[in-house]
Amino acid sequence: MPTGVHLRDVRTQLFDAAERVLANGGPSALTSRAVTDEAGCAKGVLHRHFTDFDGFLSELVLDRIAAVEARGEVLAEAAGTGSVVDNVTEALTDVFSSVAVSIVALITFRDELRTRLRTARPRGVPLVGDAARMLARYLTAERAIGRLSPTADVGTLAPTLVGAGHLHFADRGSAPASLRPMVTAVLSPVLG
């Protein structure tokens, strides 16, 4: 690999390369060599920017959690607009049609990564727990304006939707459109 190639945004390029490796080969295929080969750079580039490979993976997961949190801001602002079912379906599709399912597998696969993430984020399973909190915030806002029943148990609905969404996309062959009936089934008893 060439060592003199300038990378514009090293973090983004390496994270995107890791996602491609992860999506194509799963957690066992994800090595520092596979990431740098995919990014088209020397292996030393990764180690110049991160303490070690698990540090890189930890930063990757935290970066993807930040994206879920940003998506949560957009979703919370959508309360009162569109259809609740459509908003939730779109949010779950955004989270799980990306590499989130593979990242959850990665967290499960790598003990050191899990340990580091628990230090940084001690609550729940990283990414999945963040997605549940994103939906809970949105559903709470919808309940407050009367689009969900006042008795809707948001604390149960949000993780139920995230768990079902995760299972839906786990085989990587499910179409996002087929997610809507599940979201409808979960939410229909509480829609206002």
Side-chain angles (χ1 to χ4, degrees), residues 14-183:
L14 290 171
F15 288 168
D16 291 348
E19 283 192 353
R20 289 190 299 275
V21 171
L22 191 55
N24 293 328
S28 62
L30 195 61
T31 63
S32 59
R33 171 62 65 203
V35 170
T36 54
D37 284 353
E38 181 67 27
C41 65
K43 187 176 178 182
V45 170
L46 188 144
H47 295 287
R48 274 195 303 275
H49 293 277
F50 300 94
T51 55
D52 57 20
F53 192 57
D54 282 311
F56 165 75
L57 294 175
S58 179
E59 291 296 319
L60 168 67
V61 173
L62 293 173
D63 183 74
R64 295 326 185 225
I65 288 170
V68 168
E69 290 171 345
R71 176 66 174 97
E73 293 297 321
V74 172
L75 184 61
E77 290 174 12
T81 66
S83 144
V84 174
V85 169
D86 288 343
N87 291 341
V88 170
T89 300
E90 183 181 321
L92 287 172
T93 300
D94 285 352
V95 169
F96 290 117
S97 65
S98 67
V99 77
V101 171
S102 297
I103 287 180
V104 172
L106 175 67
I107 293 166
T108 303
F109 185 76
R110 295 188 67 101
D111 294 336
E112 177 61 25
L113 174 59
R114 213 171 33 258
T115 299
R116 286 181 189 213
L117 289 170
R118 283 202 176 117
T119 300
R121 300 182 72 82
R123 295 182 359 203
V125 176
L127 203 63
V128 175
D130 296 284
R133 285 185 288 283
M134 169 189 74
L135 283 184
R137 180 176 173 206
Y138 167 72
L139 294 172
T140 298
E142 291 289 14
R143 184 178 62 193
I145 60 174
R147 292 189 358 142
L148 289 182
S149 163
T151 60
D153 182 358
V154 171
T156 299
L157 289 169
T160 298
L161 288 161
V162 168
H166 182 259
L167 288 173
H168 179 82
F169 285 103
D171 69 3
R172 299 182 193 168
S174 298
S178 63
L179 182 63
R180 191 176 199 288
M182 180 279 296
V183 172

